[in-house]
Amino acid sequence: MPAEDPSRRDGTAGGSTLVSEARESIAARPYAEGEPILEVRGLVKHYPLTRGILFKKQIGAVKAVDGVDFDLAAGETLGIVGESGCGKSTVAKMLVHLEPPTGGVIRYKGEDVTKLSGRALKAVRRNIQMVFQDPYTSLNPRMTVGDIIGEPYEIHPEVAPKGSRRQKVQDLLDVVGLNPEYINRYPHQFSGGQRQRIGIARGLALNPEIIVADEPVSALDVSVQAQVVNLLDRLQGEFSLSFVFIAHDLSIVRHISDRVGVMYLGRIVEIGTDEEIYDHPTHPYTQALLSAVPVPDPTAREYRERIILHGDVPSPAAVPSGCRFRTRCWKAQERCELEVPLLAVPAVFRDTDTPARHDSACHFAEEKRVVPPEGTLETPEPQDAPKPPRAAPSPDAGPSPDTPSPDRREPGEEDR
Ligand SMILES: Nc1ncnc2c1ncn2[C@@H]1O[C@H](COP(=O)(O)OP(=O)(O)OP(=O)(O)O)[C@@H](O)[C@H]1O
């Protein structure tokens, strides 16, 4: 397996100017940080359920996405989490125009892109690129790395005229921490982490402003996941990218996201900053999800409240009336069956000034911290001696098992 050249990972190898045109043009962004670059309103994707072979008759619909709202600010990372089948990938596909929405609006810089076609749509598609989940199946095994990364230039030759493409691709390899000399190799000659770096380089080829990453590290070994997450983090800062980062692993999402949206059965049920969602969740589904996250700190683990949800997630073809979470919710009352809860700041928190004041689609929202904050607990002692307060973690104690390690390896060390 070829090793990466770590000295090249930040693109400044040997003081070379490999970080040239491609990088500069990606970085040249005329958009102010903090402005919403993407506004998603009432996004819906229903797949028809049909019966009959010759004369197909629609008998229902799989409500894969059923009214999703969120904003993405320029330069921001929005994490979207939720169990398998909740509609995360379908949202991602609609954002990059791989699937047409059944309804709703996707505004990119104020323009509803669901109404665009032809050249206008092509220009928008260039600016919103996707990184796929599985680096083993998403790269064509018969194409060289150079052809894979350079493929988008066939559709958008204006970004890289023919004569400059090889150099552009080599710059991109360098940017993602791969040796530019590997340009003629094939995907099977790379490890999983390296293949995902190739996928990321392809995502960057057209100098996009938004990257939609659909479970970009789920198929990788845990040790390699951290490296790829750190790479994405670095690229975002370097190129002022906005990210929609989709995953089911809450720890990884927290590590990379500024804000987090929690999806359940086709809808976002709670959305807020990472602190609001992880430390002050108010929706019972978020609380249940968080209560299942592995806790590295044994003391915190002891105090953690596990919430076991009963029953299965209902089928998206038969979504419950009212609140769609009510069939599994321990708080459900009659109102939950009759009234759809809106994704808004719950009335109970509207006049407060606490982190619980964020959007949550629950009639009976209340704050519940399922994992106690680190450093606030006392270590249980076997004897009756007074319990000393837990020492704050030493700054050089190294990352916790939940915290991905820095994107740094020794020469010769490889992704697996
Ligand atoms: N082309 C399709 N036709 C019919 N149903 C579909 C189609 N694509 C997705 N679905 C259904 O829509 C629902 C949401 O699927 P989606 O792949 O978006 O979920 P997800 O949250 O990304 O799950 P995972 O993490 O497993 O990929 C699922 O019930 C899925 O079976």
Side-chain angles (χ1 to χ4, degrees), residues 193-207:
Q194 289 172 326
R195 285 187 216 204
Q196 195 54 295
R197 287 172 193 263
I198 294 166
I200 292 166
R202 182 174 59 183
L204 290 175
L206 296 175
N207 312 341

Side-chain angles (χ1 to χ4, degrees), residues 47 62 64 83-91 93 99 133 215 316:
Y47 294 103
V62 176
E83 288 167 288
S84 180
C86 70
K88 305 181 297 290
S89 296
T90 308
V91 168
K93 284 184 213 153
E99 287 274 10
Q133 172 176 4
E215 304 257 11

Side-chain angles (χ1 to χ4, degrees), residues 103-136:
V105 170
I106 302 171
R107 271 193 288 272
Y108 164 70
K109 293 183 176 174
E111 187 154 12
D112 181 4
V113 298
T114 61
K115 304 263 189 303
L116 297 181
S117 58
R119 284 176 62 180
L121 177 61
K122 196 175 158 191
V124 169
R125 287 182 80 159
R126 188 188 131 182
N127 282 317
I128 310 177
Q129 291 292 312
M130 185 143 171
V131 172
F132 292 92
Q133 172 176 4
D134 192 347
Y136 295 91

Side-chain angles (χ1 to χ4, degrees), residues 12 26 31 59 89 124 130 135 144 148 164 186 191 210 284 303 305-306 320 326 356 368 389 408-409:
T12 55
I26 294 168
Y31 215 66
I59 53 164
S89 296
V124 169
M130 185 143 171
T144 64
I148 289 170
S164 72
Y186 289 87
S191 66
I210 300 170
Y303 285 82
E305 184 182 339
R306 279 302 301 270
R326 71 177 164 82
K368 182 199 270 287
R408 196 185 306 131
R409 278 162 295 158

Side-chain angles (χ1 to χ4, degrees), residues 95-279:
L95 295 181
V96 297
H97 301 92
L98 286 177
E99 287 274 10
T102 310
V105 170
I106 302 171
R107 271 193 288 272
Y108 164 70
K109 293 183 176 174
E111 187 154 12
D112 181 4
V113 298
T114 61
K115 304 263 189 303
L116 297 181
S117 58
R119 284 176 62 180
L121 177 61
K122 196 175 158 191
V124 169
R125 287 182 80 159
R126 188 188 131 182
N127 282 317
I128 310 177
Q129 291 292 312
M130 185 143 171
V131 172
F132 292 92
Q133 172 176 4
D134 192 347
Y136 295 91
T137 56
S138 61
L139 306 181
N140 187 336
R142 280 182 284 276
M143 287 168 75
T144 64
V145 164
D147 290 340
I148 289 170
I149 297 174
E151 199 178 18
Y153 300 137
E154 299 294 329
I155 302 157
H156 292 274
E158 74 281 5
V159 181
K162 274 229 159 96
S164 72
R165 284 186 197 167
R166 190 178 167 85
Q167 182 60 49
K168 285 236 180 218
V169 169
Q170 287 190 313
D171 285 352
L172 286 163
L173 282 169
D174 184 57
V175 161
V176 298
L178 292 172
N179 190 332
E181 284 159 26
Y182 296 160
I183 189 166
N184 292 323
R185 298 193 181 192
Y186 289 87
H188 74 267
Q189 295 176 284
F190 293 86
S191 66
Q194 289 172 326
R195 285 187 216 204
Q196 195 54 295
R197 287 172 193 263
I198 294 166
I200 292 166
R202 182 174 59 183
L204 290 175
L206 296 175
N207 312 341
E209 290 178 306
I210 300 170
I211 296 264
V212 180
D214 185 10
E215 304 257 11
V217 297
S218 311
L220 305 176
D221 280 2
V222 173
S223 59
V224 181
Q225 286 185 350
Q227 293 156 7
V228 174
V229 165
N230 287 334
L231 170 68
L232 289 169
D233 215 7
R234 174 170 68 73
L235 293 174
Q236 181 186 37
E238 231 165 277
F239 300 137
S240 311
L241 293 163
S242 308
F243 273 130
V244 177
F245 188 96
I246 290 170
H248 61 264
D249 185 324
L250 278 88
S251 311
I252 285 182
V253 167
R254 177 165 206 180
H255 180 75
I256 197 167
S257 303
D258 301 305
R259 285 189 308 128
V260 178
V262 180
M263 270 191 90
Y264 182 78
L265 207 54
R267 282 226 175 145
I268 290 184
V269 295
E270 185 165 7
I271 190 164
T273 63
D274 66 337
E275 189 208 342
E276 287 167 349
I277 298 298
Y278 287 83
D279 298 339

